[in-house]
Amino acid sequence: MTDPFEPRREHRFTFGLWTVGNPGRDAFGAAVRPTLRPPELVALLAGVGAYGVNLHDEDLVPFGAPAAERDRIVAEFKRALDDHGLRVPMATTNLFSQPVFKDGAFTANDPAVRAFALQKTMRAIELGVELGASTYVFWGGREGVETQAAKDPVEALKRFRHALNFLTHFCRDRGYDLRFALEAKPNEPRADIYLPTTGAMLAFIETLDHPEMVGVNPEVAHEHMAGLDFTHALAQAWERGKLFHVDLNDQQGPRYDQDLRFGSANPKAAFWLVRFLESVGYEGPRHFDAHAYRTEDVEGVRDFARGCMRTYLILRERARAFDADSEVRDLLAALRADDGSQSDVLGAYSPAAARALLGRRFEPAALGARGYRYERLDQLAVEHLLGVR
Ligand code: GCO
Ligand code: MN
Ligand code: MN
């Protein structure tokens, strides 16, 4: 029998070069795994059933590499993609590793740093387009502060807006068919980062010159670091047609960004988010922005990557089983029951509807006495999740 949870190309799972390529370096210790070259990472991902690979400019081309070297590296990478049938759906810019970006990039106080950040991003966009990317991610990296003395927060927003406007105009001028996806994170590596949540990004997007080109890339860990519900972030983005990309991983509460294997820390939150993505018909890539435990060797990295994808597929199956369960269906039908008796006042506003509503008598005591059966419903979800139903 074929394994229904075996990841395959058609599932559209993607990983960043920086995720499976993470050699385990952290703030307290050195690398623990060999640094695999990008073509080797392409082979590794193809071997575990991924659909594509995403990258920062510097994951592929070292910072400051001369043009000839860049072209050689890109050609070799493209050959590896062709040989293994992998795509590059998303690309992004590293605007955080080099010392020049220690005060941020688009929001840095030094105008020369801001201009350099724009130039680096334009070149990285050219690289992404050359590799066939259709989504371009902007994660703020160091766009923040340790002290409010450092930057005027209103000015910082204006700078960030200027940069995004400049880059949308650049893409339109060049005829690039790219959509931008803004990724929020509340903190790390700066003490506080601007536009810290997906909701903040969504409000900001409406202030841009070309909001139609710009959506979001919510990340599980980042919303959880802010103590927020990830499915709500997804829903707000989806409802505005702004869910352009998603970063799947896991996180144990508000602490440093852990980038854990998808579903490994909060399987229940992962269950709800998979159910959401599948039920609304999200068609973008399912991107894993996570990395293997520092205890792992390269085989452990494969275990990690397979684990992310298998857990997604298992949760998808569990969510379908939950929604097909007749007891769940009955409970949900009862919750959604509507006898139409309020439809005259719950439609669009009109003076007549307002008059009708002001004159209506309600029975708040009776309404308040109702039990909603959410305990039973949630227990059913838990039992499906735990595999006993
Ligand atoms: C992080 C971020 C990054 C971004 C990546 C792509 O917390 O480090 O999640 O991994 O997703 O830079 O923009
Ligand atoms: Mn992250
Ligand atoms: Mn991310």
Side-chain angles (χ1 to χ4, degrees):
M1 214 184 86
T2 59
D3 180 350
F5 307 123
E6 182 71 21
R8 292 191 306 269
R9 296 288 151 84
E10 75 236 34
H11 297 130
R12 310 244 293 153
F13 291 128
T14 64
F15 290 82
L17 278 181
W18 71 95
T19 66
V20 282
N22 182 308
R25 201 175 290 114
D26 70 11
F28 298 90
V32 293
R33 295 186 279 268
T35 301
L36 299 183
R37 301 177 59 250
E40 294 173 310
L41 293 168
V42 167
L44 183 151
L45 285 173
V48 294
Y51 161 84
V53 59
N54 303 321
L55 50 92
H56 301 85
D57 49 355
E58 287 178 46
D59 298 337
L60 183 62
V61 183
F63 182 73
E69 191 189 340
R70 175 223 186 259
D71 292 349
R72 186 188 55 71
I73 292 170
V74 173
E76 185 195 17
F77 186 63
K78 281 184 176 166
R79 270 197 305 279
L81 293 170
D82 283 349
D83 290 348
H84 294 281
L86 245 63
R87 304 282 303 277
V88 177
M90 178 273 258
T92 184
T93 328
N94 182 325
L95 294 173
F96 41 88
S97 292
Q98 296 298 324
V100 61
F101 299 125
K102 63 190 175 189
D103 186 35
F106 302 146
T107 66
N109 271 328
D110 189 328
V113 172
R114 297 203 298 276
F116 178 62
L118 276 175
Q119 182 200 59
K120 189 173 196 282
T121 304
M122 286 155 62
R123 291 193 174 141
I125 285 175
E126 290 173 338
L127 172 64
V129 168
E130 182 177 348
L131 295 171
S134 54
T135 304
Y136 203 85
V137 163
F138 291 83
W139 168 59
R142 297 186 191 273
E143 310 290 16
V145 291
E146 284 68 44
T147 166
Q148 290 298 341
K151 289 179 197 170
D152 174 344
V154 171
E155 192 56 33
L157 289 173
K158 291 187 194 304
R159 290 173 184 167
F160 196 61
R161 180 179 302 116
H162 167 266
L164 284 169
N165 283 338
F166 192 96
L167 294 165
T168 52
H169 288 295
F170 172 68
C171 288
R172 287 166 60 89
D173 264 0
R174 291 286 183 97
Y176 294 156
D177 190 16
L178 264 192
R179 299 201 301 176
F180 291 0
L182 310 187
E183 178 177 342
K185 184 174 181 180
N187 58 272
E188 197 197 347
R190 300 306 289 271
D192 285 288
I193 298 178
Y194 298 119
L195 300 166
T197 62
T198 297
M201 286 297 185
L202 287 166
F204 174 75
I205 288 169
E206 298 307 320
T207 71
L208 297 173
D209 289 351
H210 285 290
E212 74 287 354
M213 278 178 68
V214 187
V216 290
N217 177 36
E219 173 167 320
V220 179
H222 297 179
E223 300 295 318
H224 287 189
M225 286 167 76
L228 301 175
D229 183 275
F230 187 69
T231 301
H232 288 182
L234 285 182
Q236 192 187 357
W238 178 260
E239 201 258 340
R240 302 306 299 161
K242 293 295 188 191
L243 189 60
F244 288 5
H245 201 263
V246 65
D247 273 7
L248 301 172
N249 57 10
D250 217 341
Q251 169 77 18
Q252 289 167 311
R255 50 174 83 175
Y256 66 96
D257 187 15
Q258 294 177 296
D259 291 335
L260 295 168
R261 188 177 78 257
F262 178 62
S264 63
N266 293 287
K268 192 177 174 193
F271 170 82
W272 295 123
L273 82 87
V274 168
R275 178 174 181 253
F276 181 85
L277 289 175
E278 296 296 323
S279 68
V280 297
Y282 168 77
E283 283 181 348
R286 274 82 174 148
H287 176 236
F288 297 104
D289 186 9
H291 49 76
Y293 302 147
R294 192 162 180 270
T295 48
E296 302 309 291
D297 60 9
V298 174
E299 193 46 36
V301 172
R302 288 194 190 88
D303 291 338
F304 148 82
R306 285 194 200 97
C308 286
M309 298 184 282
R310 287 183 63 81
T311 298
Y312 188 98
L313 295 172
I314 293 165
L315 291 172
R316 182 175 76 165
E317 191 274 327
R318 295 285 80 208
R320 284 178 184 156
F322 173 74
D323 284 314
D325 185 315
S326 59
E327 193 180 344
V328 170
R329 294 169 81 93
D330 289 348
L331 285 166
L332 290 178
L335 285 169
R336 288 165 192 167
D338 182 350
D339 65 4
S341 60
Q342 307 299 330
S343 50
D344 57 334
V345 296
L346 289 180
Y349 177 84
S350 70
R355 268 195 309 279
L357 186 49
L358 285 168
R360 184 146 306 170
R361 283 173 59 89
F362 290 97
E363 304 290 345
L367 293 173
R370 174 183 178 183
Y372 282 83
R373 312 287 323 274
Y374 292 166
E375 283 287 0
R376 180 65 191 150
L377 197 52
D378 187 74
Q379 179 64 21
L380 288 167
V382 169
E383 293 191 13
H384 277 288
L385 183 57
L386 296 179
V388 296
R389 259 182 99 91

